[in-house]
């Protein structure tokens, strides 16, 4: 298991997504990379998250395209476009990593996998409560083209500021041998734009049993994780916007109440001064009360 983990993590797949699906790497004696000479089969698939759909509407405003560092108002604070994009990228990475941590690997796998294996087929992953052990339920993998259950155990789970990965290896009682690696990584494309790449790789060791329909299984897994991550990122962004809008509305309402209270206090003070001036004009002895001499005698002299 450790050898397979090292092979997957060290091997860098190139131009995987351009193929439109999963890519089978050359292994064994024909492998161009020495890392793949110790395995009998390796297939990878990648997808990128659509970060443009997570950006605010005014981000693409033509008036703000004069400079990349153009400042915009956000919650009463001026932020640059780079800061907005950085927040979106961090949101996308955290959303994708949360999908891996919660083992929501096949939420939308039925949309892709069912078209490959039948309308009623559905790829599904279930895990234990502690997330260490799970099983991948694959249609038409078992006897008589029924469902096949492949037990899996967690080999590692790594999380960093720019990437994260999850490794599951097969255990006894299954239909194939090897390891499946799920990874999320922040990368820069040819145009130096930040992207979040989700990849799934399956490695079969020498003399190991291969997985039937591995291409459709790997593609369904990476597509499902991408869609789940996008939905989670949209939810996080919506909650952030709602909470920010609520704070803004609350702050504006409190400011309005303080202004009204201040104006009413000033009006009352002005009215009080005006009444006092009128009272003093009507009573010339106002404020000049002088008690009689008898009242000023000491009680001790009575």
């Amino acid at each position: 298991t450790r050898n397979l983990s090292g092979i997957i993590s060290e091997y860098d797949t190139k131009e995987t997504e351009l193929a439109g699906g999963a890519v089978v790497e050359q292994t064994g004696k024909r492998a161009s990379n020495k890392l793949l000479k110790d395995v009998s089969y390796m297939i990878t698939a990648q997808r990128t998250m659509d970060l443009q759909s997570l950006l605010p509407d005014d981000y693409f405003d033509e008036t703000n395209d004069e400079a990349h560092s153009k400042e915009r108002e956000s919650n009463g604070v001026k932020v640059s476009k780079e800061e907005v994009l950085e927040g979106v990228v961090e949101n996308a990475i955290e959303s994708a990593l949360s999908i891996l941590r919660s083992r929501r690997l096949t939420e939308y796998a039925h949309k892709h996998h069912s078209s490959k294996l039948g309308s009623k087929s559905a790829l599904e992953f279930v895990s234990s409560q502690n997330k260490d052990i799970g099983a991948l339920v694959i249609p038409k993998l078992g006897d008589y083209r029924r469902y096949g259950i492949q037990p899996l155990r967690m080999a590692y789970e790594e999380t960093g500021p720019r990437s994260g990965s999850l490794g599951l290896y097969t255990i006894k009682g299954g239909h194939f041998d090897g390891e499946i690696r799920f990874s999320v990584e922040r990368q820069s494309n040819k145009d130096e734009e930040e992207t979040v790449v989700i990849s799934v790789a399956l490695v079969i060791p020498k003399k190991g049993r291969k997985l039937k329909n591995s291409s459709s299984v790997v593609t369904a897994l990476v597509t499902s994780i991408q869609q789940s991550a996008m939905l989670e990122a949209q939810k996080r962004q919506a909650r952030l916007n709602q909470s920010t809008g609520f704070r803004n509305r609350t702050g504006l309402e409190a400011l309005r109440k303080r202004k009204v209270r201040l104006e009413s206090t000033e009006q009352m003070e002005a009215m009080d001064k005006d009444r006092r001036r009128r009272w003093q004009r009507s009573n010339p002895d106002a404020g000049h009360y002088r008690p009689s001499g008898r009242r000023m005698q000491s009680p001790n002299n009575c």
Side-chain angles (χ1 to χ4, degrees):
T1 302
R2 289 297 178 183
N3 295 334
L4 295 180
S5 303
I7 290 173
I8 301 176
S9 60
E10 293 179 13
Y11 182 75
D12 186 15
T13 305
K14 302 295 184 180
E15 305 294 339
T16 302
E17 194 177 5
L18 298 180
V23 174
V24 179
E25 308 292 345
Q26 291 288 343
T27 57
K29 297 180 180 180
R30 298 181 180 180
S32 58
N33 194 312
K34 63 180 182 179
L35 295 174
L36 301 181
K37 293 183 178 181
D38 296 331
V39 299
S40 63
Y41 184 78
M42 180 175 180
I43 184 171
T44 57
Q46 287 185 357
R47 293 290 184 273
T48 58
M49 297 183 65
D50 184 14
L51 301 182
Q52 293 186 356
S53 62
L54 302 176
L55 292 171
D57 296 336
D58 58 349
Y59 185 86
F60 300 99
D61 190 0
E62 294 181 357
T63 59
N64 293 338
D65 291 339
E66 298 176 358
H68 291 288
S69 60
K70 182 72 176 180
E71 293 182 345
R72 55 186 293 272
E73 290 290 336
S74 177
N75 310 330
V77 180
K78 291 184 177 181
V79 295
S80 63
K81 278 193 171 183
E82 289 82 357
E83 294 174 341
V84 175
L85 181 60
E86 181 70 19
V88 170
V89 173
E90 291 180 357
N91 178 25
I93 291 178
E94 182 59 30
S95 300
L97 293 178
S98 67
I99 299 299
L100 297 184
R101 287 193 296 265
S102 60
R103 306 295 189 265
R104 294 155 54 189
L105 308 178
T106 57
E107 274 188 322
Y108 298 96
H110 61 279
K111 293 185 177 181
H112 176 84
H113 201 261
S114 59
S115 61
K116 299 292 184 179
L117 299 180
S119 58
K120 296 183 179 180
S121 302
L123 181 69
E124 186 176 358
F125 178 82
V126 293
S127 64
S128 60
Q129 188 174 3
N130 57 6
K131 310 298 183 182
D132 290 338
I133 301 176
L136 190 62
V137 183
I138 305 175
K140 300 183 180 181
L141 185 64
D143 298 335
Y144 305 105
R145 298 180 64 81
R146 296 176 179 176
Y147 282 89
I149 300 177
Q150 176 61 55
L152 300 169
R153 183 184 293 273
M154 184 182 69
Y156 56 87
E157 186 173 13
E158 302 172 350
T159 303
R162 295 180 59 91
S163 62
S165 60
L166 169 66
L168 303 175
Y169 65 90
T170 59
I171 54 181
K172 291 183 179 181
H175 299 269
F176 66 94
D177 303 317
E179 180 179 321
I180 305 176
R181 174 186 170 90
F182 307 87
S183 62
V184 177
E185 186 177 1
R186 177 176 179 174
Q187 298 180 0
S188 299
N189 56 18
K190 297 179 180 179
D191 299 331
E192 296 184 355
E193 296 178 351
E194 294 291 335
T195 58
V196 178
V197 179
I198 302 173
S199 61
V200 177
L202 170 64
V203 176
I204 306 297
K206 285 186 176 180
K207 299 181 181 181
R209 295 171 296 173
K210 294 184 179 180
L211 171 63
K212 299 178 183 178
N213 299 318
S214 59
S215 177
S216 61
V217 171
V218 172
T219 306
L221 288 173
V222 70
T223 304
S224 174
I225 296 173
Q226 179 205 28
Q227 295 180 2
S228 299
M230 284 299 303
L231 184 61
E232 182 68 21
Q234 292 172 0
K235 289 181 179 179
R236 287 171 178 261
Q237 193 67 33
R239 287 195 294 266
L240 178 62
N241 294 339
Q242 290 176 358
S243 61
T244 303
F246 177 76
R247 288 198 299 268
N248 290 341
R249 290 193 299 270
T250 305
L252 292 175
E253 183 65 18
L255 181 62
R256 187 188 66 82
K257 290 182 178 180
R258 287 196 297 269
K259 186 176 181 181
V260 170
R261 191 181 304 114
L262 178 61
E263 292 177 352
S264 62
T265 303
E266 291 177 351
Q267 291 177 0
M268 293 179 63
E269 291 178 352
M271 293 171 60
D272 182 66
K273 290 181 180 179
D274 188 59
R275 285 197 304 268
R276 184 173 300 176
R277 285 194 296 268
R278 289 200 304 268
W279 176 66
Q280 289 177 351
R281 285 196 299 269
S282 61
N283 185 6
D285 294 331
H288 299 284
Y289 172 76
R290 181 178 299 172
S292 64
R294 188 172 181 79
R295 291 184 179 179
M296 295 179 63
Q297 283 184 349
S298 173
N300 299 326
N301 297 330
C302 296

